[in-house]
Structure formats: structure tokens, C-alpha cells
Amino acid sequence: MKSILTSKVVLQPFTKWTGGKRQLLPIIKSLMPTSYNAYHEPFVGGGALFFNLTPQKAFINDFNAELINCYQQIKDNPEILIELLTIHQENNSKVYYLDLRAADRDGRIQQMSDMERAARIMYMLRVDFNGLYRVNSKNQFNVPYGRYKNPKIVDSDLILAISEYLNNNHVTIQTGDFEKAIEDVQTGDFVYFDPPYIPLSETSAFTSYTHEGFSYEDQIRLRNAFKRLSNKGAYVMLSNSSSPLVEELYQEFHIHYVKTTRTNGAKSSSRGRISEIIVTNYEK
């Protein structure tokens, strides 16, 4: 179904997000079903595919409540969000950033409104090192200040366009575990899973790692959910690393190998090698 859009702004992620899929969009879209009903993305992250498709009926979710709050505030209060981001832009400096970052250490964040928290995160992700979202064991943001000469902290046109899209279509925004997010999936719906990846360095015999709070047990839960949705008659797609563990977990489905240069700190000799897998429960 075509979305309702009057804005001429091309929608794209409103923030940087580690593991974003912008580079792989052509491949992902080529492997999608030609038609489907509702769109579901339980690990939406920055929403590269979601914003590219702009589905008319969608269910988006992420376990990161701070990120999902940004989506909700863009939908509900775009003008005020732009005002707050403009203040951050006018005051942007390393000292200002570090002081705002410390809000989750000194208790100030507890006094912030949802709007203020959204503006804080969106600002920090624009100016911190590599646009990383990272917290320590106490859930305190700990990414250092970046070295950008002229970061685009306020993109008013994009924020207003996203807000218009979210309000003029049937988009459900939620936060929590992925299994909760797929409870409403129906036959003929399309579900795209983009979970934290299994590290490439692990072997099929290693089953106790934890990565970004997403354990191997969670990966098994995800595979089982993939199977349940398949049995329900939904179209299901999943991205992950080309780890042997992924191949083992999804061996009964269609595995597509993707070449990408999206590697961190890779040696030049390893660039261009197959590093990701896209799994589907249907032939394309």
C-alpha cells in the first residue's frame, strides 16, 4: 500500500545509527516480496528501510526506549523538538556536550521531559564520536565528543516531513522485546528483522557470548520467532553476519550472501569479502 505523503522531502533516518542499512537498501529491496500487507520492523534502529519504503501501515519497535522516544516526539511535537535542537546547535561545543552527557550521571535526566530527552539524544548522536549510541553498565551514555567541523544538528525539513508521514499513515510506535512487537503479525504481512549481529569471530560451537545485550539465547528465540511467523503465512526477512552460527540457525530457509564494505577496522585484504547474510522464508 502506498503511503500518504504530501511533503517533497525524501525521508531518511533522522539520526546516525550503528548498523544502519542505507548502503544495503538496493539489495534488501530486491529480495523483498513484490506485495504485502502491513510492515513490521521489531529492531527499527535508525529506520533506513522503513523511511525508504514509507509503508502506509507499519509497526515499528526497538528495545532502546530513548531512541523510540525520539520517533514519538517527532510525531507529536516536531516544532518544539526543532526549537530545542536549535538551542543545542547554538551552544554546541565539547564542554557543552560533556555537560549534557553528564545529565544521566547527576540526576538531571530524571527531571527532563520526554521532549528534552529526545532532543538531548538526537543532539549527542549528531556530534559524538562516529554517531555511536553506547552506554556503560550503569546505563550512562559514555561516547566521547566527535571532531566534526559543521555537524548538521537541526534538519527542520526532515523532522517536519517525518512527522507528517507518521501522522498521516497508520504507524504504530512501540518499545520492548521483539517477541512482543510481532504479536499482531498477520498472514501476508512483511516482517524485517535486523537484530544485533552475531560476531563474525565466533564459531558454531560457541554459544555463550553476549553482544549489545543480545545473547545467543536471544538469537535462538529470534530464529524460533522466524519459524512461527513463517508458519503463520507472513513474509519474513532477517539480516545478520555471515557467521557459521547464523548459517546453522537458518539452514532450512533461503540464505542470501551479501558483499559489503561496512567493516570496522578491517584489514584492506579483507575488504569486499562476504560479511553479511540475508535470510528469507520465501524464494525470490
Side-chain angles (χ1 to χ4, degrees):
M1 289 186 292
K2 194 83 172 173
S3 66
I4 301 171
L5 271 177
T6 59
S7 172
K8 294 182 179 179
V9 176
V10 176
L11 297 196
Q12 59 184 338
F14 56 83
T15 186
K16 297 178 182 178
W17 199 254
T18 304
K21 289 294 178 290
R22 286 195 228 192
Q23 187 183 116
L24 293 177
L25 282 178
I27 297 173
I28 292 173
K29 291 175 71 175
S30 72
L31 293 172
M32 285 180 60
T34 52
S35 64
Y36 52 89
N37 297 326
Y39 175 88
H40 302 257
E41 190 167 354
F43 303 90
V44 69
L49 181 60
F50 169 64
F51 287 125
N52 185 272
L53 297 173
T54 59
Q56 188 172 342
K57 184 176 183 181
F59 297 81
I60 59 172
N61 174 84
D62 201 277
F63 191 73
N64 188 316
E66 292 290 336
L67 173 65
I68 288 299
N69 179 51
C70 294
Y71 280 89
Q72 196 65 56
Q73 299 309 316
I74 288 173
K75 178 181 180 180
D76 296 340
N77 306 291
E79 292 86 0
I80 301 175
L81 179 59
I82 290 169
E83 290 176 7
L84 292 176
L85 286 171
T86 301
I87 293 173
H88 291 323
Q89 179 171 268
E90 292 170 349
N91 290 280
N92 179 42
S93 69
K94 181 177 181 179
V95 172
Y96 181 82
Y97 168 83
L98 293 176
D99 177 69
L100 193 62
R101 190 186 72 171
D104 59 14
R105 290 165 168 77
D106 57 25
R108 277 179 293 155
I109 198 166
Q110 305 302 328
Q111 309 303 318
M112 289 183 176
S113 66
D114 289 343
M115 174 58 59
E116 290 170 331
R117 290 174 75 126
R120 172 180 176 267
I121 287 297
M122 289 176 67
Y123 159 67
M124 292 197 301
L125 289 173
R126 281 293 178 185
V127 303
D128 74 357
F129 179 74
N130 279 355
L132 290 174
Y133 184 100
R134 187 185 66 198
V135 294
N136 60 23
S137 60
K138 296 180 180 179
N139 202 35
Q140 298 166 336
F141 200 85
N142 64 356
V143 184
Y145 188 66
R147 297 181 178 179
Y148 304 104
K149 290 185 178 180
N150 189 28
K152 190 167 187 177
I153 297 168
V154 186
D155 193 335
S156 301
D157 291 341
L158 178 62
I159 289 173
L160 291 172
I162 291 175
S163 183
E164 178 194 348
Y165 162 65
L166 293 176
N167 281 290
N168 290 344
N169 294 275
H170 300 285
V171 180
T172 300
I173 303 170
Q174 50 198 349
T175 182
D177 187 76
F178 69 88
E179 289 200 80
K180 179 73 174 174
I182 59 175
E183 287 180 348
D184 295 325
V185 174
Q186 303 295 318
T187 301
D189 287 357
F190 174 67
V191 184
Y192 174 53
F193 289 117
D194 184 26
Y197 281 14
I198 292 178
L200 275 171
S201 59
E202 312 305 350
T203 68
S204 59
F206 186 69
T207 59
S208 60
Y209 81 93
T210 299
H211 180 61
E212 296 181 21
F214 204 75
S215 68
Y216 181 71
E217 288 69 30
D218 290 323
Q219 295 282 358
I220 292 177
R221 282 200 301 126
L222 180 56
R223 189 276 314 278
N224 293 341
F226 193 106
K227 284 186 176 182
R228 290 199 307 273
L229 293 174
S230 297
N231 293 335
K232 201 176 211 180
Y235 299 103
V236 193
M237 175 187 285
L238 174 138
S239 299
N240 214 313
S241 68
S242 57
S243 161
L245 277 173
V246 181
E247 296 176 320
E248 182 181 335
L249 287 171
Y250 294 93
Q251 57 185 312
E252 65 188 273
F253 297 103
H254 302 282
I255 297 178
H256 309 267
Y257 295 89
V258 179
K259 290 185 178 181
T260 176
T261 56
R262 294 193 318 109
T263 55
N264 293 323
K267 296 180 181 179
S268 58
S269 60
S270 68
R271 289 174 191 161
R273 291 182 179 178
I274 293 171
S275 60
E276 296 196 22
I277 280 174
I278 295 177
V279 183
T280 61
N281 68 336
Y282 53 87
E283 288 192 66
K284 184 67 176 178

